[in-house]
Amino acid sequence: MPLPLSLSLLFTLLTLAFATDIPRFREAPAFRNGPNCAVAGTQGSTIHIAMTLDTTYLRGSIAAVFSVLRHSACPENIAFHFLTSSRHFHNLNRTITSTFPSLSVSLLHFDPLLVRGKISTSVRRALDQPLNYARIYLAELLPNSVDRVIYLDSDLIVVDDVSNLWNIDLRAHVLGAPEYCHANFTSYFTPKFWTTSELSRTFQKRERPPCYFNTGVMVIDVNKWRKGGFTSKLENWMRLQKRHRIYQLGSLPPFLLVFGGEVQRIEHRWNQHGLGGDNIRGLCRDLHPGPVSLLHWSGKGKPWLRIDSNRPCPLDSLWAPYDLLYSPPSSSAAVLLSDG
């Protein structure tokens, strides 16, 4: 009778099995601070950035991190906090730390049970994943020492020094984001919402009329969020949605309901969104007029998928140089890597 596999061998085999879902990435350069930067780790010197992390969007997340570091004057002063609920937790951590060995990074576990029974189906399945709602729980997941954070989606690149976004004055507001007041705000909610007087009065006492904003780029005062109990306020709208169907689009409408009309306005350059097209077909789109500090492929079409299928949109060529997926040295990232 053959001897059973040793526990160590079994562990190795299981690790290899799980690791097959995670591609290989190039190691990024060790980006260093410029001469005018505060000493990394000193009080007030750290820029905190939060993102979600899973195997589906890992390639986009790594490109986003690379772009932030590449354009920062003080990259050693940036700390990334990744929210993940993946069974690949340890392999994701290994991938991030091996790709960015000098990066200050922490992986924070997001329990999908937090949103159990609160998620309603929307127009696109990706919007219904529990991790898409993790941004609602940032204040609970981040260390208490973090009192301000930039939240970034995984389908974007930053082409400016992120400190310019970090240093924006939020004034008395909890949240800052670019607003788009030309968008039809009423379309984000169902007719039932607008015809129910108790609900339609939601925005009457706000600082100003509400406008659409994209939750893929936000600057958040975490202390004000905690003191104001904003996680509970967002959850309340999610529970109401389950009973009455007052909106259609994933995790965005609760943010509009809670913060609409009371967002600190940030320049549009910090979220050139919609480059992934709409949520149904994901057609190619052009940039909005004006300067650009951040390009965001929100919508169905993701640049890495379109590039791999040999059907890229013109603007996907702007994302490609930040793609660290392992490939021969002639890849589009080779120039940026050699300049590091």
Side-chain angles (χ1 to χ4, degrees), residues 101-177:
S102 59
L103 183 66
S104 175
V105 58
S106 64
L107 261 68
L108 307 173
H109 177 69
F110 170 71
D111 186 354
L113 292 179
L114 286 171
V115 290
R116 186 175 182 178
K118 301 186 186 83
I119 297 177
S120 302
T121 55
S122 64
V123 296
R124 185 158 57 92
R125 185 178 179 184
L127 301 177
D128 302 336
Q129 300 306 307
L131 195 60
N132 194 44
Y133 291 79
R135 71 197 78 187
I136 291 173
Y137 298 90
L138 270 174
E140 287 72 32
L141 296 172
L142 290 169
N144 289 333
S145 58
V146 176
D147 55 15
R148 184 183 179 101
V149 70
I150 296 173
Y151 177 83
L152 297 178
D153 270 352
S154 298
D155 52 356
L156 55 77
I157 57 170
V158 176
V159 293
D160 196 349
D161 193 327
V162 76
S163 67
N164 294 323
L165 178 61
W166 174 260
N167 290 323
I168 284 170
D169 185 2
L170 290 179
R171 300 177 185 175
H173 300 99
V174 177
L175 182 152

Side-chain angles (χ1 to χ4, degrees), residues 206-263:
R206 300 293 170 88
E207 182 180 308
R208 60 180 183 273
C211 295
Y212 161 76
F213 66 95
N214 181 283
T215 56
V217 180
M218 298 183 289
V219 182
I220 298 171
D221 186 317
V222 184
N223 284 341
K224 284 192 176 78
W225 183 295
R226 290 171 178 144
K227 291 175 182 177
F230 285 94
T231 297
S232 294
K233 293 176 182 179
L234 290 160
E235 287 182 321
N236 288 339
W237 282 112
M238 292 166 65
R239 293 189 185 97
L240 186 65
Q241 158 74 354
K242 288 291 288 186
R243 298 197 303 270
H244 298 292
R245 195 70 181 179
I246 57 174
Y247 56 77
Q248 306 287 354
L249 194 63
S251 63
L252 169 64
F255 276 87
L256 298 180
L257 288 161
V258 172
F259 295 105
E262 295 183 350
V263 171

Side-chain angles (χ1 to χ4, degrees), residues 3 13 27 32 39 61 63 67 79 150 152 154 183 186 192 202 215 240 253 263 281 304 315 323 332-334 339:
L3 291 173
L13 291 173
E27 181 179 322
R32 299 304 182 193
V39 176
S61 299
S67 72
I150 296 173
L152 297 178
S154 298
T186 59
K192 182 174 184 177
T202 298
T215 56
L240 186 65
V263 171
R281 293 182 294 172
W304 57 92
L315 290 177
D323 184 12
S332 57
D339 286 347

Side-chain angles (χ1 to χ4, degrees), residues 13 29 45 96 104 166 171-172 196 216 222 253 270 286 337:
L13 291 173
S45 66
I96 290 292
S104 175
W166 174 260
R171 300 177 185 175
T196 305
V222 184
W270 284 107
D286 294 327
L337 285 168

